[in-house]
Amino acid sequence: MMLAEKKESIVEKLERFELELKAAFPERETVIEQSLDSLIASEHVLFLGPPGTAKSMIARAFSDALDVRLWSYMFTRFTTPDEILGPVKLSELENDRYIRNPKKKLPEADVAVFEEVFKGNSACINATLGICNERIWHNDGEELDVPMRTAFMNSNELPTDKDGLGAFLDRIVSRVYVGDVVSREAFEQIMYSKPAPIETKFSLDELDELMQIADSL
């Protein structure tokens, strides 16, 4: 396949994906477009808005369309670092080493979904700063590269100064407000109907192709 034909194919696939998302989530065009931009740019996106506006559903639709290692978690003030980064290996404590086992946790994820992200305590959320921003993780003093590409985050409200999450919020480049649905038809589709299936799927290689195309524009 010639390069021009390959580019056209992946762009057409992206356009089809966008149309499927917009059909499934009416009145969410801006949210979807900004999320696509963040995904292609390998940046994180925050969905901010009141409950019942399909924030979690949109984040899940994006993550389900990606053939990647996914980590998803609902944050609360009782969340512990073990739930995010993995438990400490007890066998290594005997050797005076504090090593976590990150299997199926955030350090191994290509894409993450942070549900109610600002409900988490500052110690746990700020522990993800290196992973989300620099794409590195320190495990017992060893600096490790992580595969993190994009995190879809949602919250009903922004953190306050006393929450200690200002540094984390500053590192979320894309923020989109998800407001109430206006039309009754759209409201009923989002609230009471099962969203239309998103059939288009993307691999990591295809995401890399899209990023290269975007860089060349």
Side-chain angles (χ1 to χ4, degrees):
M1 181 182 294
M2 296 179 61
L3 181 59
E5 293 175 345
K6 191 173 184 179
K7 286 185 177 180
E8 183 180 7
S9 175
I10 194 67
V11 170
E12 287 178 348
K13 187 174 183 178
L14 179 65
E15 292 173 345
R16 184 170 66 252
F17 180 48
E18 182 178 352
L19 289 176
E20 289 177 356
L21 287 168
K22 290 181 177 179
F25 301 102
E27 297 187 21
R28 294 292 173 258
E29 290 82 2
T30 301
V31 178
I32 291 167
E33 291 168 3
Q34 193 163 338
S35 299
L36 283 171
D37 290 343
S38 299
L39 179 62
I40 294 171
S42 194
E43 294 290 350
H44 312 308
V45 58
L46 171 66
F47 302 142
L48 179 66
T53 53
K55 299 187 300 297
S56 295
M57 293 172 66
I58 295 172
R60 180 60 61 180
F62 268 90
S63 61
D64 287 347
L66 303 174
D67 184 17
V68 298
R69 290 173 294 180
L70 173 69
W71 180 82
S72 179
Y73 189 82
M74 173 73 76
F75 285 86
T76 73
R77 62 191 181 95
F78 301 110
T79 299
T80 67
D82 288 359
E83 296 168 86
I84 302 171
L85 304 174
V88 175
K89 293 182 178 180
L90 298 180
S91 59
E92 293 293 341
L93 290 177
E94 299 177 357
N95 301 319
D96 296 326
R97 301 200 65 187
Y98 195 83
I99 299 177
R100 293 187 180 276
N101 178 8
K103 186 175 181 180
K104 296 184 179 181
K105 299 297 183 180
L106 182 61
E108 290 191 346
D110 299 304
V111 172
V113 177
F114 289 30
E115 299 276 6
E116 294 299 337
V117 58
F118 297 127
K119 292 290 194 296
N121 59 73
S122 60
C124 288
I125 297 298
N126 287 331
T128 71
L129 276 174
I131 296 174
C132 292
N133 194 45
E134 291 84 18
R135 271 61 169 186
I136 58 173
W137 178 51
H138 292 91
N139 194 10
D140 193 43
E142 183 178 2
E143 185 175 286
L144 305 171
D145 292 330
V146 296
M148 169 64 67
R149 300 178 68 96
T150 299
F152 298 97
M153 310 176 187
N154 67 63
S155 178
N156 298 331
E157 57 195 5
L158 288 171
T160 63
D161 292 339
K162 65 179 181 180
D163 291 328
L165 297 175
F168 182 82
L169 178 62
D170 287 343
R171 286 165 171 79
I172 305 175
V173 175
S174 181
R175 309 173 194 177
V176 55
Y177 181 75
V178 187
D180 292 325
V181 177
V182 176
S183 72
R184 182 180 182 87
E185 180 181 358
F187 177 81
E188 291 179 348
Q189 179 176 336
I190 290 177
M191 292 298 294
Y192 304 119
S193 301
K194 185 177 180 179
I198 308 300
E199 298 180 353
T200 305
K201 308 294 182 182
F202 288 93
S203 66
L204 286 176
D205 288 341
E206 288 175 318
L207 292 179
D208 287 338
E209 289 180 37
L210 287 170
M211 181 178 291
Q212 291 173 6
I213 292 172
D215 287 342
S216 67
L217 297 178

